[in-house]
Every structure is written in structure tokens, then in C-alpha cells.
Amino acid sequence: MQIVRAKPEDAATLTTIAFAAKRHWGYPERWIESWRDALTVRPDFITTHETYSAVVEGRTVGFYSLGCKGHRLALQHLWVLPDAMGQGVGRSLFAHVLERARVLGFGVLEIESDPNAASFYQHMGARRVGTRVSALEGQPRELPVLVYEVGRQVCPHHAGY
């Protein structure tokens, strides 16, 4: 597996991966449709956010994107195709995330997780610090918020994203 910087022309492939991974959790299709904007990766997003793809035998099987949330680095996407899950792709992508966070000078990585993925991040060493509540079809939906302590240094604000 190689982890390579995504290019704007990869947007459709990354979007397909995000939708396939989200559907893997068995959400109703109307929910998936309500998340269309959040799951769609546009070429300009790839240009303005650190976005990396996992490639196995010439096939993109996962990706992640980073952005800023205040003075913290935020994991905005981390998706793996369902047929590539359980093969170390997510672990490798997350290890790459942490290396990029160190290189960029951030001490804390914030993760707002799908409830089904929270245990993965906790297994990787993140700790849950809260919950973001949103509404879906008039019902509250709780999203775990986790942090990973990358280092002890103070996080500078990176406005370049």
C-alpha cells in the first residue's frame, strides 16, 4: 500500500469511497442523501486541504483529509472502502495523519466521529472528550468528539488550509 497526496482530479473517486464507507454502516438511504454535501469531496477541497489517498495495486481504497478547527488540527475525512476494511488501511492512514500533524506542528488532533467509527479511533489512542448533537429527521443524533494528543507543544494557528 502507498499513501499519496490526492489530486483535484481524484475528487469523484474519493467521493465514491466516502459514500460507500458511510453506506457500509447500514444507514437509510434518505440519511445518506441528507449527508450528500458532507460526503462529497470537491476538487477545490483537495486543493485547500491536506488530503491523502491509500492506493493498493493501483486502486484507491481509502483517504483522509485534514483541516483547521480553531487552533486544532481536525480530521475531516477518513474513509476506507468496505472491501478493504480490516486489512490495515485505516490504521495506516491514521498513522499517516499523526505524522502529518507532527510535521505541521500541531499537538492535538480533533476527531468528530461517526458513532460506528469511534471505537477505531479509541483503539488508535484517541480519547473521547465530548459529544456534538445534531438533528436528523427531528431526532437528536450524537456524534462522539475525540482528541489525540500528538505532542505537548502549543499548537500554532495554521491559516493555510
Side-chain angles (χ1 to χ4, degrees), residues 11-89:
T13 298
L14 303 187
T15 296
T16 298
I17 291 168
F19 274 88
K22 195 70 164 180
R23 283 185 175 108
H24 171 74
W25 299 115
Y27 292 117
E29 197 57 33
R30 66 186 183 278
W31 290 13
I32 299 291
E33 186 56 36
S34 75
W35 297 323
R36 177 164 296 283
D37 285 344
L39 295 172
T40 299
V41 180
R42 292 181 173 73
D44 62 323
F45 180 88
I46 294 171
T47 301
T48 59
H49 294 77
E50 291 237 356
T51 303
Y52 286 85
S53 300
V55 180
V56 176
E57 297 176 3
R59 178 178 175 234
T60 302
V61 296
F63 76 98
Y64 76 82
S65 297
L66 298 172
C68 285
K69 194 171 195 178
H71 293 288
R72 286 187 174 168
L73 189 63
L75 183 62
Q76 296 189 313
H77 290 282
L78 194 157
W79 303 104
V80 176
L81 282 173
D83 68 0
M85 290 178 180
Q87 299 172 26
V89 175

Side-chain angles (χ1 to χ4, degrees), residues 45-141:
F45 180 88
I46 294 171
T47 301
T48 59
H49 294 77
E50 291 237 356
T51 303
Y52 286 85
S53 300
V55 180
V56 176
E57 297 176 3
R59 178 178 175 234
T60 302
V61 296
F63 76 98
Y64 76 82
S65 297
L66 298 172
C68 285
K69 194 171 195 178
H71 293 288
R72 286 187 174 168
L73 189 63
L75 183 62
Q76 296 189 313
H77 290 282
L78 194 157
W79 303 104
V80 176
L81 282 173
D83 68 0
M85 290 178 180
Q87 299 172 26
V89 175
R91 282 191 309 274
S92 294
L93 284 170
F94 194 73
H96 198 270
V97 164
L98 298 178
E99 180 56 31
R100 291 304 304 152
R102 287 182 192 96
V103 167
L104 293 168
F106 284 90
V108 176
L109 174 69
E110 184 173 304
I111 306 158
E112 184 179 293
S113 177
D114 182 283
N116 293 295
S119 62
F120 164 78
Y121 294 117
Q122 289 174 310
H123 179 75
M124 297 301 294
R127 63 184 169 80
R128 187 169 176 161
V129 296
T131 302
R132 187 181 138 254
V133 179
S134 62
L136 186 61
E137 296 183 345
Q139 299 296 316
R141 181 166 190 262

